[in-house]
Amino acid sequence: GALSSPDALLNNAAMEKLFPDTTYNVESGGDPDVIPTLSFREFTDFHRRFYHPSNSYIYLYGDMDIENTLKYIDEEYLSAFDRRCVYSEVGTQKAFAKRVITEKNYNIADGENIANKAIHALYAAMTDCMTTKESLAIRILNYVLIDMDGAPLKKALLDAGVGSDVSGAYEDSYKQPVWSIVVTGSEPERQGEFSQIVDHTLRKLALTGLDKKMLTAALNRTEFILRENDYQGRPKGLFYGIRAMDMWLYDRDPIEALRYYDDINGLRKAIETDYFEGLLLKYLIKNSHQVLITMKAKKGIDEKKRIEVAEQLDAYKKSLSENQITDIIEKTRVLKERQASVDSEEALTAIPLLRREDLNREIENDEIEDGRIEEIRHFHYDINSNGIVYLNLYFNLEGFSKKDIFYANILTRLLLSMNTVNYEYSELVRQSNAYTGGINFQVGSISNIDSDQKCTPYLIVKGKALVSNADKMVRLLKEVILHTDYTDKIRLREILMEEKANWDMTAFARGHTLCISRLLSYFSETGRYSETTGVSYYYFLSDVVARFDAISDEMISCLQRLAKQIFTRHN
């Protein structure tokens, strides 16, 4: 399952070609096609050799008695093992003399249309001695070139009609960091055009210079993310440890991975020079350690593989004696029995359990101020948020039809991505990056505390900014929700096709959440509303994209009507 989605196959194929002589050449978790060839002895020998304390990295995070903690680790764990020499260094891949060009097939269902299903990608490997400042700068460049609305590299590819969506990534957890750009919704024969546009656009930007306003906006956004350090409620210590490993694994200072203040200040000064253009030249234009790969959609691959596996299994079974077959059956029976058996009372009592007296009975409850601002109900939490204002605006969607809710979902994708009466969308995005830590829009609902059959649906506008920029954020929100122009059909089609392409690429990876969302829709009103952002929305979106030319005028009218109904003071 994990290795059958197009993006997973693409990344594996690219890494195989990009690092043919290092450990990155192979799938770390094991390729399902190859796992059956692994013997149990090889498996256990590998585990015994590498999964040993001598080959481990131990990090501690939090407020603790360090001496007692180290003593415990030594007495309860490390002292039980003898130190040994384990060679597990990740090698450095020798740079290529020229770009490698390759292609690979991926499976689509028999009923699917094969048109516009090709994926083109360019992967570039960096050196193993990049500074943290350079690495942060490449991350900022990726955002400016591809992720930011109006980004020049993305725009060049979309304007040429090479594909329906463009995405980019920079991964610095490898010994040699990797930058990639991917175009989906294309045709196989457009591989050359894709690479030419990427090369030409990068050279042009290096020669004529990058937009300094975009660089500043991207840098501010990056600084905000680093300062906020928001891991969505997950343990910070865990993420600090993972980040530290990105350098520690390769014998570099792990603490350097956590520092960013000096690098940010250095890059802010560098914007006024040709530093970023120089990085483009060094790591993306003159760097020949690259792989250009095309994923071609093909029918019948999975069926062919199933037949091959069935034939292999049949041949293997025929090679076994009756005693060997009986032995396999018996071992399987014992395994199933073991899996189904209940643990003994002795084993269960060995598991430490949390007791009620271990819990703090005092509830931490931040006080909320409930007031009004110009007749709008306003809740305020006065807490330490590192100088950041978090603002949520809830617009009631009660009484709207299901079709309107679907269009409200589309509305959340269009806001900040289309021109307004006073600004082009690229300028709106620049201001959002320059003055806020992010603005987003979503359709959601809040369940009734007394009944699971009652809920209030909302279109929620979320923004966050440093206190000093709060007024700029509010002015930007006002411009976007009240003055967006929905009449540009070319831009409207572009955004909808991007949204559809994104769903096509990611739906497989989150199939379990989509299924859960659909199932919950049968149990409560909250679940029913939540599902309007799931599979049901995808079907609606697919239909809208397919019939765009016929219904575009109706769609624009509907969006204009909804915006006027939703974004009002009384709502």
Side-chain angles (χ1 to χ4, degrees):
L3 299 186
S4 57
S5 64
D7 51 337
L9 290 169
L10 167 66
N11 195 63
N12 271 24
M15 295 299 285
E16 187 179 322
K17 294 293 182 182
L18 203 59
F19 300 105
D21 306 317
T22 78
T23 189
Y24 299 131
N25 170 50
V26 293
E27 166 59 42
S28 63
D31 188 327
D33 290 342
V34 184
I35 288 172
T37 68
L38 180 67
S39 73
F40 187 68
R41 169 170 283 186
E42 287 173 314
F43 178 70
T44 51
D45 283 351
F46 183 92
H47 187 277
R48 195 175 295 111
R49 181 178 170 193
F50 291 107
Y51 287 76
H52 189 276
S54 301
N55 194 41
S56 70
Y57 294 77
I58 299 173
Y59 77 92
L60 306 170
Y61 175 85
D63 186 8
M64 69 188 78
D65 183 325
I66 191 69
E67 293 297 332
N68 281 340
T69 304
L70 293 175
K71 184 170 180 285
Y72 179 86
I73 292 171
D74 178 43
E75 291 177 354
E76 298 294 327
Y77 179 45
L78 297 177
S79 61
F81 297 86
D82 293 325
R83 183 173 178 83
R84 65 169 71 156
C85 181
V86 182
Y87 182 77
S88 58
E89 182 181 347
V90 176
T92 299
Q93 179 63 52
K94 184 180 177 182
F96 301 159
K98 62 178 183 178
R99 177 184 288 171
V100 172
I101 301 175
T102 186
E103 62 180 39
K104 187 179 178 70
N105 296 327
Y106 75 93
N107 186 74
I108 61 169
D110 288 338
E112 281 191 77
N113 189 339
I114 208 162
N116 298 318
K117 285 291 197 302
I119 304 167
H120 303 298
L122 181 66
Y123 282 69
M126 314 297 176
T127 69
D128 61 356
C129 53
M130 287 181 77
T131 65
T132 54
K133 179 182 174 183
E134 285 181 320
S135 194
L136 190 60
I138 295 291
R139 189 174 296 283
I140 289 167
L141 273 174
N142 180 70
Y143 188 72
V144 169
L145 293 171
I146 302 168
D147 290 339
M148 187 182 283
D149 273 338
L153 187 50
K154 180 177 183 176
K155 188 175 186 301
L157 289 163
L158 291 177
D159 287 351
V162 174
S164 58
D165 191 26
V166 181
S167 60
Y170 175 64
E171 180 55 72
D172 60 354
S173 63
Y174 302 119
K175 187 176 186 181
Q176 294 164 264
V178 175
W179 175 78
S180 61
I181 178 170
V182 180
V183 167
T184 57
S186 187
E187 296 293 346
E189 61 271 15
R190 304 194 76 167
Q191 184 194 68
E193 187 182 358
F194 161 71
S195 64
Q196 285 171 5
I197 291 172
V198 171
D199 292 342
H200 173 74
T201 306
L202 291 177
R203 289 194 187 100
K204 183 181 176 183
L205 291 168
L207 188 65
T208 61
L210 292 150
D211 186 322
K212 296 190 184 304
K213 287 184 177 180
M214 292 179 79
L215 283 172
T216 301
L219 181 64
N220 288 340
R221 171 186 175 273
T222 302
E223 181 180 9
F224 187 98
I225 291 169
L226 291 169
R227 283 184 180 277
E228 187 181 33
N229 237 349
D230 181 16
Y231 297 110
Q232 304 297 314
R234 292 168 292 182
K236 275 187 181 177
L238 176 64
F239 284 87
Y240 287 150
I242 291 170
R243 185 73 187 120
M245 292 304 296
D246 291 343
M247 297 190 74
W248 200 11
L249 271 177
Y250 314 117
D251 301 321
R252 300 178 69 181
D253 182 359
I255 304 303
E256 281 299 307
L258 304 179
R259 296 191 175 117
Y260 65 85
Y261 193 77
D262 290 343
D263 288 345
I264 287 285
N265 286 342
L267 291 175
R268 199 174 297 285
K269 294 173 184 175
I271 289 176
E272 300 307 317
T273 70
D274 61 355
Y275 178 80
F276 284 92
E277 288 81 2
L279 289 183
L280 272 185
L281 202 62
K282 179 180 179 181
Y283 288 116
L284 300 183
I285 297 170
K286 288 188 174 182
N287 175 17
S288 57
H289 192 169
Q290 299 183 358
V291 171
L292 175 63
I293 183 168
T294 292
M295 299 291 292
K296 296 165 66 176
K298 188 175 180 181
K299 298 178 181 181
I301 294 177
D302 285 357
E303 184 59 31
K304 182 182 177 184
K305 185 179 285 188
R306 276 193 290 271
I307 292 170
E308 288 174 353
V309 169
E311 290 174 347
Q312 289 168 4
L313 289 171
D314 187 53
Y316 176 65
K317 185 176 181 180
K318 287 175 179 175
S319 72
L320 299 172
S321 66
E322 284 296 324
N323 287 339
Q324 287 173 316
I325 292 174
T326 303
D327 184 51
I328 289 173
I329 292 170
E330 177 57 22
K331 283 181 177 177
T332 303
R333 186 193 65 76
V334 171
L335 174 62
K336 286 184 175 180
E337 189 176 282
R338 177 183 168 187
Q339 289 173 327
S341 64
V342 178
D343 288 325
S344 67
E345 195 64 36
E346 183 183 6
L348 289 172
T349 54
I351 301 171
L353 299 173
L354 196 65
R355 297 166 301 173
R356 282 194 175 190
E357 50 265 35
D358 295 325
L359 302 176
N360 182 6
R361 298 185 66 83
E362 296 299 318
I363 297 172
E364 291 184 15
N365 193 11
D366 295 309
E367 285 190 20
I368 186 169
E369 299 171 19
D370 184 354
R372 288 192 173 273
I373 296 179
E374 297 188 21
E375 301 310 309
I376 298 171
R377 196 171 185 189
H378 173 243
F379 298 103
H380 176 240
Y381 282 102
D382 189 8
I383 59 173
N384 178 15
S385 55
N386 294 329
I388 298 171
V389 170
Y390 295 87
L391 174 67
N392 291 356
L393 306 174
Y394 292 81
F395 293 93
N396 201 309
L397 295 180
E398 280 185 296
F400 286 76
S401 68
K402 188 172 184 179
K403 185 178 179 181
D404 279 347
I405 298 294
F406 285 141
Y407 270 116
N409 272 308
I410 289 178
L411 203 65
T412 64
R413 180 63 182 85
L414 301 178
L415 295 170
L416 204 65
S417 294
M418 294 193 76
N419 298 340
T420 65
V421 172
N422 300 303
Y423 297 99
E424 291 188 357
Y425 70 87
S426 56
E427 174 60 18
L428 295 171
V429 172
R430 188 196 69 76
Q431 286 195 30
S432 175
N433 285 309
Y435 303 127
T436 82
I439 292 172
N440 66 76
F441 311 87
Q442 65 188 65
V443 170
S445 62
I446 296 176
S447 56
N448 187 292
I449 198 168
D450 299 316
S451 170
D452 62 4
Q453 293 308 312
K454 294 179 182 178
C455 73
T456 306
Y458 290 100
L459 192 153
I460 309 165
V461 179
K462 294 187 175 184
K464 52 189 177 183
L466 295 173
V467 172
S468 58
N469 289 327
D471 58 334
K472 295 184 177 72
M473 175 179 70
V474 173
R475 282 201 295 270
L476 183 59
L477 285 176
K478 180 180 178 180
E479 178 68 27
V480 169
I481 66 177
L482 296 183
H483 302 304
T484 292
D485 178 8
Y486 302 99
T487 59
D488 184 346
K489 291 184 182 180
I490 294 174
R491 179 62 181 155
L492 183 58
R493 182 203 294 269
E494 195 175 89
I495 294 169
L496 291 174
M497 289 186 70
E498 282 181 21
E499 174 86 335
K500 170 71 164 51
N502 183 56
W503 268 89
D504 289 341
M505 285 291 287
T506 63
F508 181 91
R510 53 197 178 102
H512 59 300
T513 60
L514 294 174
C515 285
I516 290 169
S517 175
R518 173 58 72 91
L519 287 169
L520 290 175
S521 71
Y522 296 101
F523 287 89
S524 71
E525 193 67 11
T526 308
R528 190 174 72 82
Y529 260 101
S530 295
E531 215 284 319
T532 59
T533 64
V535 174
S536 298
Y537 169 63
Y538 174 65
Y539 292 150
F540 178 80
L541 176 67
S542 301
D543 180 63
V544 163
V545 170
R547 299 193 299 126
F548 182 84
D549 290 334
I551 65 169
S552 57
D553 289 332
E554 176 193 340
M555 188 188 310
I556 290 168
S557 296
C558 184
L559 291 167
Q560 290 171 330
R561 172 182 61 79
L562 273 178
K564 285 181 180 178
Q565 283 182 267
I566 294 170
F567 301 124
T568 61
R569 186 183 297 265
H570 75 271
N571 199 35

